Amino acid sequence: KAGVTQTPRYLIKTRGQQVTLSCSPISGHRSVSWYQQTPGQGLQFLFEYFSETQRNKGNFPGRFSGRQFSNSRSEMNVSTLELGDSALYLCASSLRDEQFFGPGTRLTVL
Amino acid sequence: AQSVTQLGSHVSVSEGALVLLRCNYSSSVPPYLFWYVQYPNQGLQLLLKYTSAATLVKGINGFEAEFKKSETSFHLTKPSAHMSDAAEYFCAVSRFSGANSKLTFGKGITLSVRP
């Protein structure tokens, strides 16, 4: 069974731009969560989607948004990028009591 | 609210020595606890999980952890370190109460293994 895939793996943007990251969960998994990982703040929960509905949200500004499609694939969008948004963005799909993580998208904001 | 504390940011052991990585949690409800490992430029891989069954949990790569409610701890151990164990380790807590699968992570511990 294929694992969680994330595209692109690496991304370079400039301040003020917007970016969209994509996540394809493991087949059959309906829950997708997003996390931001930075050296200073560690791993922080962004949001979770289940059956196309956001059912949990972390403490991030409204510039961070996401959505989930009917096939459970998810995208997250960051608008008006700031230098501090540089991070590894991890997606995880869930089945029951376990989350499976993708390799992440490394976003660099210049 | 739930939280996880991982004491120390870096642990160094010799190859063949015992590995002990500490994790303490805070949770107002019975927690689900996890240990993840992250190798450079990769995502997180689950080592083991506690979900209210046996308190001694065995995971992959020879790792195990013991849930101690009285100490609110879930320390990770491995009897004999291998060079390939060098990585960053994260302890995490969740409620997994059906409508909530959010993981709250500790800051992580970098494990170095000396030859």
Side-chain angles (χ1 to χ4, degrees), chain B residues 10-112:
Chain B
H10 185 238
V11 170
S12 180
V13 300
S14 298
E15 191 173 20
L18 170 72
V19 175
L20 170 61
L21 304 180
R22 301 179 186 275
C23 172
N24 289 89
Y25 70 90
S26 173
S27 178
S28 57
V29 298
Y32 285 20
L33 293 160
F34 305 82
W35 274 99
Y36 284 88
V37 62
Q38 185 177 35
Y39 298 99
N41 298 315
Q42 294 187 27
L44 302 175
Q45 181 183 11
L46 181 67
L47 283 175
L48 48 79
K49 63 181 180 183
Y50 167 77
T51 58
S52 75
T55 57
L56 181 61
V57 181
K58 293 187 183 298
I60 61 172
N61 302 339
F63 285 94
E64 63 180 39
E66 186 173 7
F67 173 70
K68 292 186 176 181
K69 185 178 179 180
S70 61
E71 300 177 9
T72 60
S73 68
F74 190 58
H75 302 331
L76 182 71
T77 61
K78 182 174 180 178
S80 177
H82 191 271
M83 297 296 291
S84 61
D85 294 327
E88 191 159 17
Y89 292 79
F90 294 91
C91 182
V93 62
S94 176
R95 292 169 60 180
F96 271 109
S97 59
N100 182 358
S101 60
K102 165 189 170 183
L103 286 168
T104 299
F105 288 90
K107 292 292 188 182
I109 298 174
T110 300
L111 174 66
S112 300

Side-chain angles (χ1 to χ4, degrees), chain A residues 35 37 48 56 97-99, chain B residues 38 46 49 98 100-101 103:
Chain A
Y35 295 84
Q37 185 178 22
E48 181 205 0
N56 214 347
D97 58 6
E98 188 170 330
Q99 291 196 356
Chain B
Q38 185 177 35
L46 181 67
K49 63 181 180 183
N100 182 358
S101 60
L103 286 168

Side-chain angles (χ1 to χ4, degrees), chain A residues 30-83:
Chain A
R30 295 164 63 190
S31 169
V32 173
S33 298
W34 289 88
Y35 295 84
Q36 181 196 63
Q37 185 178 22
T38 60
Q41 298 300 315
L43 281 152
Q44 294 185 286
F45 173 78
L46 280 157
F47 29 65
E48 181 205 0
Y49 286 87
F50 181 85
S51 293
E52 303 179 64
T53 301
Q54 186 183 90
R55 69 177 181 181
N56 214 347
K57 189 177 188 305
N59 189 25
F60 278 81
R63 299 185 298 106
F64 291 82
S65 63
R67 59 177 176 169
Q68 187 180 32
F69 302 95
S70 59
N71 62 358
S72 294
R73 189 177 70 85
S74 177
E75 290 181 346
M76 68 162 282
N77 184 77
V78 188
S79 62
T80 319
L81 283 166
E82 301 177 0
L83 294 178

